[in-house]
Amino acid sequence: MKSVAKRACVLALLVLSGCVVASIQPFYEERDLVQDQRLNCKWDDPDDDEPCYWLFCPKADGKYQLKLVGENEGSKKEISYEFALFKVKGGLYGDWLYKGDDENSPGIPGHVLYRIEFIESELKMSMLDADVMREKLKSGKIRMSYQVQEGTDY
């Protein structure tokens, strides 16, 4: 149970510190949404010292409900998020929406961008580097609308 809350808090801190690519707007367009059967299962972390798993549940709108479920001493804790899987130029990406309304959130809603890969029977979710993304946006290599926060470089 602690593990689920701990993971949510660590990710929230990374988002607030600017270490990951985050936005108040989604990273995808509705037309780019996909659902992948490989994602529709329970994902365990064999390296975790507490029983914890992630469950991606497909929704009718083309997105997923992502449930982080932890068990500790017979009690179960579940935290749910919205997750959108989408393709860009053949690459698979995930947009994880934090609504800012749960106890493990910094209270700020936002989207976090991940590169998604399936390697054999494993799911790999990699956070993208904010500095690399910023440079690609500025140079025009990535074309999407964005807004720079006043008084910052991002």
Side-chain angles (χ1 to χ4, degrees):
M1 181 163 35
K2 292 176 194 169
S3 181
V4 172
K6 181 171 56 176
R7 286 178 185 196
C9 286
V10 166
L11 189 55
L13 288 172
L14 287 171
V15 169
L16 287 175
S17 68
C19 296
V20 299
V21 178
S23 172
I24 58 171
Q25 300 295 327
F27 287 100
Y28 60 90
E29 301 219 6
E30 297 293 323
R31 68 176 182 255
D32 298 322
L33 289 175
V34 295
Q35 287 192 338
D36 192 311
Q37 294 295 324
R38 296 174 293 178
L39 197 58
N40 302 352
C41 64
K42 177 177 155 182
W43 294 93
D44 295 307
D45 184 351
D47 299 326
D48 201 337
D49 56 345
E50 296 178 25
C52 176
Y53 61 90
W54 297 21
L55 187 61
F56 290 86
C57 306
K59 297 179 1 181
D61 65 359
K63 300 174 190 164
Y64 290 86
Q65 179 181 21
L66 170 56
K67 297 179 182 180
L68 275 61
V69 182
E71 299 173 23
N72 188 7
E73 298 175 6
S75 66
K76 191 175 192 178
K77 177 157 182 157
E78 181 178 302
I79 303 172
S80 293
Y81 298 96
E82 182 175 279
F83 188 85
L85 189 65
F86 62 100
K87 279 191 175 181
V88 175
K89 293 186 177 182
L92 202 53
Y93 297 88
D95 181 313
W96 186 333
L97 173 61
Y98 291 84
K99 294 188 178 181
D101 58 0
D102 68 66
E103 64 188 59
N104 302 304
S105 166
I108 303 167
H111 298 260
V112 178
L113 183 61
Y114 291 86
R115 169 93 169 136
I116 306 295
E117 296 176 277
F118 294 97
I119 302 170
E120 296 178 11
S121 63
E122 292 185 8
L123 168 65
K124 181 178 178 184
M125 295 177 61
S126 307
M127 290 183 180
L128 302 181
D129 186 293
D131 293 331
V132 171
M133 182 74 157
R134 185 179 311 111
E135 287 307 313
K136 287 186 177 191
L137 284 167
K138 285 180 180 179
S139 71
K141 289 181 181 176
I142 295 178
R143 292 188 195 138
M144 66 184 286
S145 59
Y146 68 98
Q147 187 173 9
V148 177
Q149 185 178 352
E150 192 174 315
T152 69
D153 191 29
Y154 50 91

